[in-house]
Amino acid sequence: MVKNKHGVYAPKQKKVVVLWDLDNKPPRGPPYEAAVALKQLAQRFGDVVDMSAYANRHAFIHMPQWVVEERRERKQLDVLERKGLAVPSEPYVCGVCGRKCKTNLDLKKHFKQLHERERQKKLSRMRSLKGKKRQRYKERFISGNDKYNEAARSLIAPKVGYGLASELRRAGVFVKTVEDKPQAADWAVKRQMQHSMSRGVDWLFLVSDDSDFSEMLRKAREANLGTVVVGDGERALGRHADLWMPWIRVQNGEVAEKDLVPKSERRREEEDELFSVSSLDGNVDSESDLLDGLVDELVAARTEINAITLGNGKRLGMQLTISVDVQS
């Protein structure tokens, strides 16, 4: 029992560390939603003290196929709306000022000419300030402007990539860009795994399918550290971990409570069910019922034999009586 910040003694919460190999396992959908789903899953095991993602610069400038298709469909729809061939059911509304626009292109034009220009003025003003004045100005007009940030994410496409790093940081993930060398991200993840084992954490989440982490997972289990692997196939990493989960189900939030039972506990429960008293009693009852049925069948057969024998004896006696009478 430990004392929390409210002054109440409660059970000590387990510490969880999440390590994400972005080079091997990038998100298959919106990065923010994937990171939030992964964090929510890790929080079911305890308090998430660290959540880090590692990749080289190519992972952040790469354009996944789903992003290319999404932008292509949006561009085709913008052309149809400009020509009047497609009419939206509801007008487009600016998330900053609430102005209504007929087409998505009109909304983008309005946002860039008014709100983006005003944002650049504020940034220029902030750069001219120093010290505490600059910090207060940034907190008031730059960092706290959530409406602008939300509208900019949907209207302004990043110049490079699709905003992977910024979306992960928004979800609370520490993003580390490693050198452009082979296995650079793997070495960074391994160093962080060693650091986590020395910090006394209870659970380690690894988002990867790379078999190079098998030795580190084995060492983590020897150190009594719970390991959870999130990937696409239960191969080498899944065999060395306490628990394996499919990446697509984790992103979609489709992990049930029964899927959170480690292999050792699941095996122990199966053994308990196999040798439980109730199952043994059930076997004894079934065997006793079988014996009772067999005895009943034997008794019925014996009764029938006796009846037949008795009937034959009576018939023979009657025949002897008749023969004596005839002779006399």
Side-chain angles (χ1 to χ4, degrees), residues 41 229-233 244-252 255 259:
L41 175 63
V229 172
V230 180
D232 290 326
W244 175 86
M245 297 182 186
W247 178 221
I248 188 65
R249 291 180 59 187
V250 172
Q251 285 191 118
N252 298 334
V255 180
D259 300 328

Side-chain angles (χ1 to χ4, degrees), residues 24-207:
N24 181 267
K25 198 60 57 188
R28 295 182 177 177
Y32 177 78
E33 285 77 2
V36 170
L38 179 61
K39 189 174 184 178
Q40 290 176 351
L41 175 63
Q43 288 175 346
R44 296 163 74 173
F45 288 80
D47 183 23
V48 180
V49 296
D50 184 21
M51 188 172 180
S52 308
Y54 300 87
N56 54 32
R57 63 181 183 86
H58 297 286
F60 301 110
I61 64 177
H62 173 68
M63 293 286 290
Q65 187 62 28
W66 65 271
V67 177
V68 176
E69 294 177 356
E70 187 179 80
R71 292 185 179 182
R72 185 186 298 117
E73 292 176 359
R74 181 69 260 180
K75 187 175 181 179
Q76 293 175 355
L77 185 58
D78 290 344
V79 173
L80 295 176
E81 288 179 353
R82 179 189 294 176
K83 295 180 178 179
L85 300 177
V87 180
S89 58
E90 296 180 358
Y92 294 93
V93 181
C94 178
V96 181
C97 63
R99 180 178 176 177
K100 297 181 179 180
C101 302
K102 293 182 178 180
T103 64
N104 187 53
L105 292 176
D106 293 339
L107 179 60
K108 286 184 178 181
K109 183 178 180 181
H110 157 75
F111 185 83
K112 290 182 178 180
Q113 290 182 349
L114 182 62
H115 302 297
E116 190 176 11
R117 184 178 298 177
E118 183 178 357
R119 174 82 166 190
Q120 295 300 326
K121 291 181 180 178
K122 291 180 179 179
L123 290 175
S124 300
R125 170 64 178 167
M126 183 191 70
R127 296 188 188 99
S128 63
L129 299 176
K130 295 182 179 179
K132 294 183 178 179
K133 290 185 178 180
R134 179 173 181 172
Q135 183 66 25
R136 288 196 296 265
Y137 188 89
K138 180 180 179 180
E139 294 175 354
R140 182 178 180 182
F141 296 104
I142 305 300
S143 302
N145 196 352
D146 297 330
K147 288 185 177 180
Y148 175 87
N149 297 330
E150 188 69 26
R153 277 191 292 268
S154 59
L155 294 176
I156 302 177
K159 296 181 180 180
V160 179
Y162 64 106
L164 175 60
S166 60
E167 288 294 282
L168 292 180
R169 291 191 182 99
R170 186 164 69 96
V173 181
F174 172 76
V175 181
K176 175 67 174 179
T177 304
V178 300
E179 299 179 357
D180 292 337
K181 294 181 179 180
Q183 306 297 323
D186 294 354
W187 284 109
V189 173
K190 290 178 180 179
R191 286 194 298 268
Q192 189 62 29
M193 290 176 69
Q194 292 178 346
H195 177 66
S196 300
M197 286 188 286
S198 63
R199 292 173 59 187
V201 299
D202 300 294
W203 283 94
L204 175 65
F205 271 70
L206 178 61
V207 185

Side-chain angles (χ1 to χ4, degrees), residues 255-289:
V255 180
E257 288 293 335
K258 63 179 182 180
D259 300 328
L260 303 181
V261 181
K263 296 178 182 178
S264 57
E265 296 184 9
R266 197 179 308 166
R267 198 177 299 113
R268 193 180 306 115
E269 291 178 357
E270 293 176 355
E271 293 176 357
D272 293 341
E273 291 178 359
L274 181 62
F275 297 101
S276 62
V277 177
S278 60
S279 62
L280 293 176
D281 291 342
N283 294 335
V284 172
D285 294 340
S286 62
E287 291 178 0
S288 62
D289 294 339

